[in-house]
Amino acid sequence: MRPLFLSLRGIGPFVESQQIDFSLLDEKALFLIHGPTGLGKSFIFDAICYALYADTPSEREGHLKSDYLQDDIEPYVDFIFSLGVDRYRVRRSLRYHRPKKRGDGTTTQDDSHLLAGIGADGTETVLAEKKNEVDSRIRELLGLDAGQFRQVVM
């Protein structure tokens, strides 16, 4: 599995939308994520793991949503990765409160899950949209469950 692109918003210290384009690293096999303590480096790994498994290495899944995010803004992780020549996109959003479509007040928007294959022309084909289906397909694709992924990759 090769990470290609990570986009997130409202996760940990990242209130605003953030993007990391791993494809800019060319074919380098090793890279370093570094910086001062407290800037969110570990949340990058948490976000990747959450996108893939709805689980985090630091077991923060109940606390992924930024404390500073406005209630009406959707917190999400969107991750594109490749397996050989195949590319996939997995997107998970956390539960949040959004304005009601009619009337005043807010309503709870449940978490959402999506796994899509990306064709050579960039078109996406939805492979799964339910949490259990996405989880199962990711395990099939990567050949690892969340615990194994943390031990081997992280």
Side-chain angles (χ1 to χ4, degrees), residues 81 88-90 113-117 125-128 134 137-138 141:
F81 63 96
Y88 299 92
R89 175 177 169 243
V90 61
H113 310 268
L114 171 77
L115 174 64
T125 303
V126 174
L127 302 174
V134 172
R137 293 295 301 266
I138 290 290
L141 288 169

Side-chain angles (χ1 to χ4, degrees), residues 72 98-107:
D72 60 344
R98 63 166 175 76
K100 289 183 177 180
K101 293 181 181 175
R102 294 187 199 132
D104 295 330
T106 61
T107 188

